[in-house]
């Protein structure tokens, strides 16, 4: 594969000034079925890359978010071969429920391990039909949080720049036991030994990260192509290493690796071997490794994992030493980069609910804090110890810190306890939704010809409609069109088609005039509300520009209502989908689905418990404050949130955006937005499209969204509304306006 594809394509791109990137790995290491050696392939890309799917933390060998080894592989390749950028296709299949806070956690983890270019997966041009279920979320206008996304885009951009500057200089090299795994693989049956190789090495890497060891990984192919022994060091491309580690799972060395190790030991190198016995060379039994170890007893040292991690931690101490760390070490990461005139240090706490604190000592005599959200630079409290800077840090859940360590003395700050005073509002909290409520109807009765089937989940009805017209399933679903091969199927005749009918109930007292109907691609259907034909409102759309909006209040009535979509003729584009009712109403759970009821005033707490379970937009929470003339030079004001849940919270002062809040400590500085006299402060909490677009049935896990999760309805037909899977968004505690006087 390298000789036939990777190398020629790399050389072509190099000759034509192109950057080859993407990812070869498919989350299966050490199984060689799809990508036998991730690192060997990544060596033949100008920008080595991976993908990182979903929002579910895992630390096993096949995990995505949390798979430390996968990110370290391409960072190591980049270090060794001089690649300035490393890419990750991130957030795919993360689900419509992915919040800004979790987007930041995932990106911070990747940055700390060495990614320098986040490629957000993905941006839909349209979410009509099956597209909305094709590994969402989407970075596009469809999202309720899209107007706020610049803060995340700028954050990722700034950190991408930082992680592309300077050099990460690690002095420890860990060899992956990839060829050992090859010996134990069989396509016909699982191998316990193969599984053990993956688990053992993954656990070792995770322990190195928890101990804050600075190291690179290597593969035997890269050693063969780029390795040499020189001045007591193992040199791989542009990096030289003082300690070479053979992990416990290692059983095999390739011939070129054994030869390189021999030269390295002859040059005075140091090998730490955790393996009880490396008895194979090129997959064949051999005493060559044992003889090499015996010939160099002071260079080839056998150690346990505990002993090795202790030695490696001490080996890193001259560059950086962490102490008094309180928190989960397995979710705390750092990345250090050397510049000609400074060092950059990025710390990330990936834990979603627990903070972390501690101290580090590193090169430098002063330190700055760099805010990756705003670009602001400020001095940071520190002390000098033995010619190095000593810094105490505290990072909230899902938080991070970016430091610049300078070789010269700078402004010295002392740690101070900050006391904030709370302002009393003029009035009570006012709560208002920012857009109409939403009812999604995803069950229907389907009539094709003289056959009617009742109570079908929309996906089954869609499948039956295509099958009746000679196509097994929706051809657009999880598919790629080559040329016009799907469009070429569009020949069904004038008598083709179907009727789908959706039922819903309305209680008395509902404001019927507010009701609107949303249908995807309305030009494909004749639409009837209670047997009366309706037409879409010109130039109106909702959620997606392909969705038409119908005024239906005059056609609806208290009691049972019926909306019929008649598709005649059938086309290749007639993807039967759920329909949506919008309006000023609440929803009440029934035995099957929801009942439209009069809207109630919202209170603090989840919207889903207050008649808005399928709502994804924003809700505003506002109060007014009367203030004296603010003095930004002597006084600071912040808004602080308590308990809440949402994708992001926008802070508005006097009708204008003053900031955004996405993670702890849930504060935003609003000093420059306030004026003398009466000020209106509003928090707008945005939900996510999870509640509108699903998946809704069979208790789907959050943090993941694969097409199949949307394709099956609830067991036994339409479930009670209370059984729909939704997330309770909202402000659960009142917010506070606080101020303090600057010293």
């Amino acid at each position: 594969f390298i000789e036939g594809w990777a190398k020629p394509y790399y050389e072509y791109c190099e000759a034509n000034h192109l950057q080859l990137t993407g990812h070869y790995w498919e989350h299966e290491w050490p199984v060689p079925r799809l990508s036998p050696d991730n690192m060997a392939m990544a060596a033949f890309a100008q920008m080595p890359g991976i993908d990182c799917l979903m929002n579910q933390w895992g630390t096993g060998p096949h995990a995505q978010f949390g798979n430390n080894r996968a990110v370290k592989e391409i960072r190591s390749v980049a270090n060794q071969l001089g690649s300035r950028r490393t890419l990750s296709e991130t957030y795919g299949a993360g689900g419509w429920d992915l919040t800004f806070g979790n987007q930041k956690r995932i990106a911070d983890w990747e940055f700390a391990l060495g990614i320098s270019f986040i490629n957000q997966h993905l941006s839909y041009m349209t979410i009509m039909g099956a597209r909305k279920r094709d590994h969402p979320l989407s970075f596009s206008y469809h999202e309720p949080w899209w107007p706020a996304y610049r803060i995340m885009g700028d954050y990722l951009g700034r950190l991408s720049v930082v992680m592309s500057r300077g050099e990460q200089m690690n002095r420890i090299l860990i060899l992956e036991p990839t060829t050992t795994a090859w010996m134990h693989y069989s396509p016909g049956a699982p191998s316990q030994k193969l599984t053990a190789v993956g688990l053992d090495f993954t656990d070792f890497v995770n322990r190195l990260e928890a101990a804050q060891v600075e190291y690179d990984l290597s593969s035997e192919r890269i050693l063969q192509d780029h390795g040499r022994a020189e001045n007591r060091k193992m040199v791989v491309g542009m990096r030289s290493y003082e300690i070479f580690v053979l992990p416990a799972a290692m059983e095999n060395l390739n011939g070129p690796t054994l030869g390189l190790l021999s030269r390295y030991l002859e040059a005075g190198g140091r090998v730490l071997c955790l393996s009880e016995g490396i008895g194979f060379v090129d997959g064949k039994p051999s005493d060559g490794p044992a003889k090499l170890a015996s010939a160099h007893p002071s260079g080839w040292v056998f150690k346990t994992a505990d002993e090795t991690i202790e030695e490696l931690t001490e080996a890193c101490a001259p560059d950086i030493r962490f102490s008094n760390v309180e928190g989960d070490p397995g979710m705390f990461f750092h990345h250090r980069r050397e510049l000609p005139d400074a060092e950059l240090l990025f710390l990330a706490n990936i834990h979603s609910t627990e903070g972390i604190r501690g101290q580090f000592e590193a090169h430098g005599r002063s330190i700055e804090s760099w805010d990756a959200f705003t670009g602001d630079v400020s001095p940071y409290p520190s002390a000098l110890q033995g010619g190095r800077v000593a810094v105490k840090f505290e990072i909230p859940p899902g938080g991070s810190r970016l430091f610049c360590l300078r070789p010269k003395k700078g402004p010295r700050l002392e740690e101070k306890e900050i006391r904030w005073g709370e302002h009393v509002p003029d009035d009570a909290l006012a709560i208002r939704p920012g857009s109409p409520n939403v009812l999604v109807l995803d069950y229907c009765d389907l009539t094709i010809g003289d056959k009617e089937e009742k109570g079908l989940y929309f996906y089954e009805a869609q499948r039956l409609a295509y099958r009746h017209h000679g196509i097994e399933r929706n051809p657009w679903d999880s598919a790629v069109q080559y040329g016009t091969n799907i469009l070429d199927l569009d020949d069904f005749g004038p008598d083709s088609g179907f009727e789908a009918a959706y039922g819903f109930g309305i209680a008395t007292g509902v404001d019927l005039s507010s009701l609107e109907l949303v249908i995807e691609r309305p030009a494909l259907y004749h639409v009837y509300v209670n047997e009366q034909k309706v037409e879409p409102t010109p130039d109106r759309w909702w959620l997606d520009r392909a969705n038409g909006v119908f005024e239906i209040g005059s056609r609806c009535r208290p009691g049972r209502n019926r909306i019929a979509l008649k598709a005649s003729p059938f086309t290749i584009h007639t993807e039967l989908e759920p329909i949506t009712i919008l309006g000023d109403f609440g929803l009440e759970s029934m035995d099957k689905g929801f009942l439209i009821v009069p809207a109630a005033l919202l209170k603090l707490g989840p919207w889903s418990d207050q008649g808005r379970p399928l709502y994804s937009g924003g809700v505003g929470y506002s109060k007014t404050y009367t203030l004296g003339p603010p003095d930004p030079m002597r006084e600071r004001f912040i808004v602080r949130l308590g308990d809440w849940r949402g994708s992001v919270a926008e802070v508005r002062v006097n009708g204008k955006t003053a900031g955004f809040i996405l993670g702890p400590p849930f504060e935003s500085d609003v000093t420059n937005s306030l004026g003398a006299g009466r000020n209106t402060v509003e928090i707008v909490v945005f939900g996510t499209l999870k509640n509108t677009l699903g998946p809704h049935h069979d208790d789907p896990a959050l943090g993941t969204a694969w097409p199949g999760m949307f394709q099956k309805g609830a067991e036994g037909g339409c479930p009670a509304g209370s059984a729909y899977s939704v997330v309770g968004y909202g402000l659960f505690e009142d917010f506070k306006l606080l101020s303090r006087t600057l010293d």
Side-chain angles (χ1 to χ4, degrees), residues 498-522:
F498 62 82
E499 177 180 303
Y502 301 78
F504 62 101
I506 302 177
T508 57
V510 172
D511 178 11
L512 298 179
S513 66
S514 71
L515 299 185
E516 294 180 313
L517 168 66
V518 178
I519 294 175
E520 294 188 12
R521 291 190 277 198

Side-chain angles (χ1 to χ4, degrees), residues 455-469:
L456 295 177
Y457 183 53
F458 85 93
Y459 193 83
E460 176 62 12
Q462 179 192 96
R463 186 182 63 81
L464 291 175
Y466 275 104
R467 179 178 291 180
H468 177 82
H469 293 91

Side-chain angles (χ1 to χ4, degrees), residues 195-271:
T195 300
V197 170
L199 290 172
D200 182 88
F201 186 70
T202 299
D203 177 69
F204 181 57
V205 168
N206 293 343
R207 293 185 63 189
L208 292 172
E209 290 298 328
Q212 305 306 315
V213 173
E214 297 183 337
Y215 64 96
D216 282 341
L217 300 174
S218 190
S219 81
E220 295 192 66
R221 172 63 191 245
I222 290 177
L223 288 181
Q224 176 182 327
D225 291 346
H226 303 281
R228 66 184 188 276
E230 190 175 281
N231 298 327
R232 302 170 62 91
K233 295 182 179 181
M234 176 72 75
V235 179
V236 184
M238 300 177 67
R239 290 294 184 270
S240 59
Y241 303 95
E242 299 170 6
I243 302 175
F244 189 87
V245 180
L246 298 172
M250 191 74 69
E251 296 178 10
N252 177 76
L253 293 173
N254 284 350
T257 306
L258 186 63
L260 178 59
L261 280 176
S262 178
R263 296 189 295 275
Y264 172 62
L265 289 166
E266 290 288 345
R270 181 169 176 79
V271 174

Side-chain angles (χ1 to χ4, degrees), residues 272-417:
L272 300 185
C273 183
L274 284 68
S275 175
E276 295 181 355
I278 302 176
F280 295 84
V281 174
D282 292 329
K284 301 174 183 178
S286 172
D287 60 359
K291 287 182 176 179
L292 185 60
S294 298
H296 299 276
S298 62
W300 185 304
V301 181
F302 290 92
K303 291 206 170 191
T304 66
D306 290 344
E307 293 169 336
T308 299
I309 291 173
E310 182 178 356
E311 178 172 333
L312 299 183
T313 302
E314 286 302 311
C316 295
D319 293 316
I320 190 165
R321 179 191 291 273
F322 288 87
S323 60
N324 303 320
V325 176
E326 300 176 15
D328 186 345
M331 303 188 82
F332 174 54
F333 299 87
H334 86 275
H335 186 111
R336 187 175 57 86
R337 301 192 69 78
E338 298 181 11
L339 305 176
D341 58 348
E343 284 193 2
L344 297 172
L345 177 63
F346 181 65
L347 306 181
N349 175 24
I350 309 304
H351 206 291
S352 60
T353 60
E354 296 179 11
I356 197 159
R357 66 177 65 188
Q359 179 174 314
F360 66 83
E361 298 173 22
H363 299 297
R365 297 177 64 80
S366 64
I367 185 169
E368 299 167 349
S369 175
W370 290 10
D371 189 328
F373 278 108
T374 65
D376 292 340
V377 174
S378 58
Y380 192 83
S382 63
L384 286 176
Q385 293 183 2
R388 304 207 306 172
V389 67
V391 181
K392 293 180 180 179
F393 62 88
E394 185 169 353
I395 307 176
S400 56
R401 298 304 300 255
L402 176 60
F403 295 116
C404 180
L405 288 74
R406 301 286 188 181
K408 296 181 179 180
K409 286 186 178 181
R412 190 68 63 199
L413 291 183
E414 300 294 333
E415 292 184 81
K416 295 181 181 180
E417 183 179 357

Side-chain angles (χ1 to χ4, degrees), residues 27 65 503 535:
H27 318 283
F65 175 31
E535 298 291 343

